[in-house]
Amino acid sequence: MMWPGSLGIHMTWLTAILRRRVGHVVAMATGIALAVGLLASLGAFLSASKSTMTRRSIATVAVDWQVEAQQGADASAVASTIRATDHVTTVESVAFAVTTGFESSHGGTTQTTGPGVVVGVDESYRASFPAQFRDLLGRTSGVLLYQQTAANLGASPGDTIMIGRAGLPAAAVTVDGVIDIPQSDSLFQAVGAPIGAQPLAPPDNVLVVPTATWHTIFDPLAATRADLAHTQIHVRLDHRLPNDPSSAFSEVTGQANNLEAKLAGAGRVGDNLAAALSAARSDAVYAQVLFLFLGTPGAVLAGLLTATVASSGRERRRRDFALLRVRGASTNLLTGLGTSEAVLVGLLGGVAGLVIAQIVGRVAFGTGRFGATTGQAVLWSGAAFAVGLLVAVVSVAVPARLDARQLTVAAARLQVGRRENPRWMRYGLDIVLLAAALVVFWLSSRNGYHLVLAVEGVPTISVSYWALGGPALLWLSVGLLTYRLTTAALSNGRAMVGIVLRPLAGSLSGTVAASLRRQRRYVARGAALVALTVGFAVSTAVFNATYQQQGRIDAVLSNGADVTVTTGPGSRIGPNSAVARQIARAPGVRHSEPIQHRFAYVGADLQDLFGVEASTVIDAGRLQNAYFQGGTASSLMATLGSKPDSLLVSAETVHDFQLLPGDPVTLRLQDATTKQFIEVPFHYVGVVKEFPTAPRDSFLIANAGYIARMTNNDAVGAFLVDTGGSATTAVAAALRTGLGTSATVTDLVSARAVVGSSLTAVDLAGLTKVELSFALVLAAAATGLTLWLGLAERRRTFVIAAALGANRRQLGGFVWSEAAVVTTVGLCAGALGAWALARMLVKVLTGVFDPPPEVLSIPWTYLGTVAVIALGSTFAAALSALRHARSAPLEELRTS
C-alpha cells in the first residue's frame, strides 16, 4: 500500500483523535490551560506589583532630593548646577535657622518653648512640593506655625510670638496659620547620612516664614554664627525610572552620585527618593519569592495532571502504533504523529489558558493585563504559552517517541512477568526528599537567617533561593509518600481493606479489595495527585490568611488602635480631663484607653517610657503574646498590675545592663512640680519586644498610677480608641474636627497604607483571588478527572461485568470503593502535608511578617469549599463511570 503524503497522514491521525478521543484531548488541554493561565496571571501580576511598588514609593516622597550647600559654598551656584542637571524638573531654595526658642504671651500668661527651627520658603514652594505641609487653621501662606509648637505655646492665627536668636534680641512675628509637617523626619534630616542610618528626631518647635522675612530676621545671626544657619536646595525629578524598584533605586542613586561629583564638595545630597525605593525593593523581591512559592507548585500540578491524562491513553496509543507498524509505518513517522498530537494539545491548552488569564484578570482586577503594561503582559503570556507547549511535548511527544523506538509489534501486544515498583520507590527517593526538606528547613529557620537581605544603601539584594527547597522538597515528598503508603496498604492489607470497604461493597468487599490490589498503581497515582493538590491549595490558603492577619496586627501595632489620639508635647491632658471625656463620648467610640508617654534615663541612656493601666491595656492595645518574652501578655500584665513598681524593659536593655528578674532599676524622670529629674525605683519583671505606638528600639512599660504618683504628673501621651473595627475613618474625622490643634489623630485605615508592607499595599487580596481560584479548579480536576481516568482504565472490566449480569449495586461497589480510597487517602495525606507545609512556609518567609505570627490563621470557609469541590468532583466522576458501565455494552467493548 502506498502511503499518502506525510501531511495527509498527520491530518488523518489528528482528525481521528478529535473524533474518537475528544474527551481525552480536552482533558489534556485542560491541564495545560491551567498551567498557562496560572503562570500568565501570576507573572503579569508580579510585573504590575513591582511597577505599583515603584509608583507608590515615589508618590510618598514630598521632596526627591534635599541638597545642602556646605559651609562657605555659594548656594546660588549650587542651585544653578542642579538646574542644569538631567532629570531635574523643579528646584527651590529653602533656608534653615536654629532658634533658642519661641515665646507667646496672651491672657496674662507667657508660654515658652525650648530650641526650635525656623524655615524660610518662597511663595512658589507650596505649589512645587504640595505634600510637604498640610494646612490646619488660618491662612495657607505667610507665617505658619507647626501644630506641636502651636499646642506648646497655646498660640493660634493672629497671635504674636517672639523668636529667640542667639546673642541677638528676639524678633516678633504674627502667626497667619497652623500647619502639620507629615514628613518632618526627612525635612529635618542630617543630609549626607547613609540611607537607613538612625534618623535624628525632628524638632518639636518649628516655624515656617517667607524667605524675605527669614533673611530679615536671620541674616544678622548668620553673619556671626554661620553654624546656626544653612541653605538647602529642594529638588523634584522627572521620575522617568524603571518599573522594578531595585532598578529604579540603582538609577536614582547613580543620578545623586553624579550630581555630588558635579558639585565637587559644594553640596551634599539627601536622597529621599532612593530611601523610599530602598524599602520597596526588598518587598519587590519578596513578591518575586511569593510568585515562586505560589505559582510554581500550581504549574507543576497542572503539568502532572496533563501527564496523568496522557499516560492513561498510552496503552491505546501503543496498540495504534502496533497496527501502524504492521502496515509499514516507520519509527520517524510514529514519532511525528506523537509530536503532532502534542502540538495540537499544546496549542489548544495554551490558547484556552490565555483566555482564562484574561477572564481572571478582568474579574479580579478589572483588566486582563492585571495592571501590567502591554509589553509585560505580552512577555508573560508568551512565556506561559511556551511552558504549555513544553508540558505537552514532555507529556505526549516524549512517551510517543519512546514507544515508537522501543516497542515491537509483539511487545506492544504482550506483557510478560510481574511489574516492578518504580525506581524511585526502590531507591527511597521519597525518604531522601523528606530528609533533605527537613535539613534545608533547619538551616533556613535558624536565628539570624534572612531569606532576603537588602543592605541599606547597597544596590544589590541577596536572596537565598536555596531556602525555597525546603517547602518544595516537602511538598514533593508528600506526594511520593502517599503513593508508597497507598500501594503498600492495598498490596499487603487486603483483608483490612476489605473490612473497611464492606459498607460500600457489601458481600463483594473481598473481591473489590482484590481488584484494588491489582489496580493499586492507578489508585495510588490518583491519591498522590489529590494529596499534592490539597497540600498546595490548603497551605497557600493558610499562608495568605496568616499574612492578612499579621497585616492587620502590624497596622494596629504601629497606629496603636483603630484610632489613636496623640497629645501635644508638654500638654497636661489627664485621663479624666475634659478632652478625655470628649474622646470617650464621641459617636462610634466603644472604649478609650489613656497611655502615658515619658522619657526616662536608664543610666545615661534616654528611653521612651509608657505608663499603662495593666487591667485594661491588653484588650485596648490588642496585645499579642509574641510582643513579650518570659511570659504571656496576660501573665506579665497581671504581674505589672499587682506590683506597682514593676517594669518591663526591652531585650536590648536587659543585655546592656545585665538585668535578672527582680533586679532593682532606678530611672530618672522629670518631676512636674520642680521640673528637675528625680530618681524613681522600679523592679525588672519581664521583657517587652513590641508595644502599640512604641518605637522599635529600646523602651519601657510601667504602671501609669505609679508614674503619676512619683512624678506628680498624670498627663496622657495618647488615647487608644476602640471603634469596634467599624466607622474608623468617620470617628477619626470627627475627633480631628472636635480636638483641633490640641492633638494629632491617626486612624487604622491610613496606617495600613503607610506602615504596611508594600506587598499589602499592592493588593495581596487580588493575588489571593487568582491563586486560590486556580487551586480550586486544580482540586476539582485532580479529584474528579483523575478518578474518572482511573475508572476509565477499567471501563472494559465494568462493561464485561455488566454484560454478565452484574447489577447497579454490585458495579457501584467497585466504583464507589475506589472513589472512597482515592479521595479519602488524598484528602487526609494532603491535609497533613498542608499543615506541615504551611508552618514551613510561614517560618521561611518570616521576613514578610511583622510581627511574626503567634498562630496560623485558618480560612475555614475556603477549606470547606475545597472539600466540597473535591467530594463533588468525586461523586460526578463515579456517576459517569457507572453510567458508562450500564449503557451500550457492545459499543463500549468495541471502542475500549
Side-chain angles (χ1 to χ4, degrees), residues 3-153:
W3 285 96
S6 177
L7 179 60
I9 297 174
H10 284 270
M11 293 304 299
T12 301
W13 173 263
L14 296 179
T15 301
I17 289 176
L18 292 175
R19 186 176 66 251
R20 308 293 297 182
R21 300 169 58 194
V22 63
H24 193 266
V25 172
V26 169
M28 286 192 292
T30 298
I32 293 174
L34 291 175
V36 172
L38 181 61
L39 289 177
S41 299
L42 291 182
F45 178 86
L46 174 65
S47 297
S49 297
K50 289 185 175 182
S51 299
T52 303
M53 289 177 187
T54 302
R55 291 195 304 269
R56 293 192 178 184
S57 297
I58 292 172
T60 61
V61 179
V63 177
D64 294 339
W65 288 347
Q66 292 176 223
V67 184
E68 185 167 314
Q70 301 299 290
Q71 290 289 336
D74 184 355
S76 298
V78 172
S80 297
T81 302
I82 295 173
R83 288 190 181 93
T85 302
D86 293 339
H87 304 290
V88 171
T89 61
T90 305
V91 174
E92 293 279 354
S93 294
V94 181
F96 293 82
V98 178
T99 172
T100 57
F102 300 103
E103 180 180 302
S104 175
S105 299
H106 49 82
T109 63
T110 300
Q111 301 288 333
T112 61
T113 72
V117 176
V118 178
V119 181
V121 297
D122 292 330
E123 291 185 3
S124 59
Y125 186 87
R126 297 293 301 273
S128 299
F129 303 100
Q132 189 70 278
F133 305 123
R134 183 166 63 92
D135 298 308
L136 298 177
L137 290 175
R139 294 173 54 191
T140 60
S141 60
V143 177
L144 306 176
L145 194 60
Y146 182 40
Q147 179 190 26
Q148 289 191 12
T149 312
N152 293 341
L153 294 174

Side-chain angles (χ1 to χ4, degrees), residues 366-379:
T367 170
R369 292 185 286 108
F370 295 82
T373 64
T374 302
Q376 291 170 338
V378 170
L379 177 63

Side-chain angles (χ1 to χ4, degrees), residues 29 40 347 606 699:
L347 291 176
L606 184 64
F699 61 93

Side-chain angles (χ1 to χ4, degrees), residues 491-583:
S491 178
N492 303 320
R494 174 179 170 182
M496 182 61 67
V497 172
I499 295 173
V500 172
L501 296 179
R502 186 172 296 276
L504 293 174
S507 60
L508 292 177
S509 58
T511 305
V512 171
S515 175
L516 290 176
R517 182 179 184 277
R518 288 192 297 272
Q519 305 296 335
R520 59 185 178 277
R521 291 180 177 81
Y522 294 112
V523 175
R525 182 183 62 187
L529 191 56
V530 171
L532 287 173
T533 306
V534 171
F536 164 68
V538 173
S539 62
T540 299
V542 171
F543 175 85
N544 286 332
T546 303
Y547 184 90
Q548 293 170 358
Q549 165 191 277
Q550 293 308 116
R552 292 189 293 269
I553 291 174
D554 184 24
V556 171
L557 180 63
S558 299
N559 190 61
D562 294 332
V563 177
T564 299
V565 179
T566 305
T567 62
S571 64
R572 294 295 298 271
I573 299 175
N576 300 312
S577 63
V579 172
R581 292 192 297 272
Q582 180 183 358
I583 295 172

Side-chain angles (χ1 to χ4, degrees), residues 44 82 85 139 157 178 226 243 249 296 345 355 378 674 687 824 894:
I82 295 173
T85 302
R139 294 173 54 191
V178 178
N243 292 321
F249 171 83
T296 305
V345 172
V355 171
V378 170
T674 64
V687 174
T824 303
R894 190 178 301 117

Side-chain angles (χ1 to χ4, degrees), residues 178 256 343 402 447-448 578 653 664 716 799:
V178 178
V343 172
L402 292 176
N447 291 334
T653 302
V716 175
V799 170

Side-chain angles (χ1 to χ4, degrees), residues 108 113 126 203 268 273 303 328 340 445 483 532 558 660 705 720 842 855:
T113 72
R126 297 293 301 273
R268 296 293 303 275
L273 186 55
S340 298
S445 61
Y483 186 98
L532 287 173
S558 299
L660 297 174
L720 307 183
V842 170
V855 295

